[in-house]
Amino acid sequence: MLFFDLEAYAPPSDRATSLSSLVVNPARPSHLLLGGCFFSKRFDEPIPEAPRFDGLWLWNFESEAALLRAIKARFELEWQRQRDEGVRVLGKPAKDLVVCGAGIAKFDLPALYCRSLFNEIADPAELFEVFFKARPIELSNEASFLFPEEPILYPKTTREMAGRLGLKEQKGSSKGVWDLYESGDHAGIERRTEEELRLVLDLYERLRRRVTRSA
């Protein structure tokens, strides 16, 4: 399994052009992928109390294309690890890479595909295989059962999930990342994203326990 959380930057001139609360649009040439944090584990391994995250960040590479090639290589490594693991789920071999996060289906995976296309790091068909054929555990959808009072199925925010599970969400608006990037505070972005990925791991584990206990 691969858990991850990405950050991106939208320039001020493009921050009032979105149909959605998600302002960043990775298909726009001027919207940069800044990188992100990654954590992998085998299916039968517990999540450690102090997980070690791998950071892949734009400021540690010579270009966005180089960053994306490194992220693609990380995905390809995880694909192979998952196949080598030989796990079966409901009697079937779990050969497809499982990725997990909050908002990854809406933003992170499409962002990797779009920015990789823009930077021409690989053939579109190859990029689709690597990023879109992974099986996403989208926590914003998985948590709907925590809100039985709401009759409409609708993706939940990280803050809503955290509140219902007794956790604290501190990340806030993406504008905080943009401010940090503009001020050159790269370490601040890295710390912020590590905290968000740590929250993702906590959300995953608490949701997993709720599901398996109820079964």
Side-chain angles (χ1 to χ4, degrees):
M1 292 185 66
L2 179 63
F3 296 81
F4 72 104
D5 185 62
L6 302 179
E7 301 292 353
Y9 175 76
S13 58
D14 289 343
R15 294 178 189 174
T17 58
S18 178
L19 295 174
S20 165
S21 58
L22 177 63
V23 175
V24 174
N25 185 337
R28 295 183 183 275
S30 59
H31 291 212
L32 291 173
L33 184 72
L34 301 181
C37 287
F38 302 81
F39 171 79
S40 60
K41 79 175 194 71
R42 308 284 63 81
F43 279 121
D44 59 355
E45 290 178 347
I47 295 174
E49 290 188 9
R52 289 187 58 186
F53 299 134
D54 298 322
L56 294 172
W57 296 102
L58 179 61
W59 37 91
N60 296 325
F61 292 85
E62 65 271 18
S63 65
E64 187 186 33
L67 166 66
L68 288 160
R69 282 192 288 268
I71 294 175
K72 177 175 176 284
R74 178 61 186 267
F75 268 69
E76 290 168 334
L77 175 63
E78 296 299 336
W79 269 98
Q80 189 58 52
R81 284 176 173 171
Q82 180 124 359
R83 289 173 183 264
D84 292 344
E85 192 175 353
V87 167
R88 299 180 74 86
V89 178
L90 296 178
K92 299 176 295 184
K95 293 185 177 181
D96 293 344
L97 172 63
V98 174
V99 294
C100 182
I104 59 171
K106 181 179 181 180
F107 173 71
D108 301 66
L109 291 170
L112 288 172
Y113 182 77
C114 287
R115 297 310 297 172
S116 296
L117 278 182
F118 177 77
N119 284 276
E120 300 180 332
I121 72 163
D123 180 83
E126 181 182 349
L127 294 171
F128 191 97
E129 291 281 337
V130 173
F131 296 129
F132 283 145
K133 288 196 176 180
R135 291 182 180 267
I137 297 178
E138 176 52 73
L139 296 179
S140 63
N141 296 335
E142 301 288 344
S144 290
F145 75 95
L146 297 174
F147 301 82
E149 73 279 9
E150 175 53 68
I152 298 174
L153 289 179
Y154 192 83
K156 305 303 183 288
T157 66
T158 303
R159 179 166 295 179
E160 289 166 343
M161 291 186 285
R164 190 53 58 101
L165 290 168
L167 298 167
K168 186 174 292 185
E169 192 271 342
Q170 299 177 340
K171 184 177 181 180
S173 168
S174 295
K175 188 177 184 300
V177 170
W178 305 337
D179 292 341
L180 291 169
Y181 181 67
E182 289 170 351
S183 67
D185 188 358
H186 299 158
I189 296 175
E190 293 182 20
R191 287 192 301 270
R192 187 179 190 273
T193 310
E194 286 185 2
E195 290 174 1
E196 182 69 5
L197 190 54
R198 191 169 289 108
L199 176 59
V200 164
L201 294 178
D202 289 340
L203 289 169
Y204 168 83
E205 183 57 23
R206 295 200 182 193
L207 285 170
R208 187 193 65 79
R209 290 175 184 172
R210 290 283 190 98
V211 170
T212 57
R213 187 168 63 236
S214 64

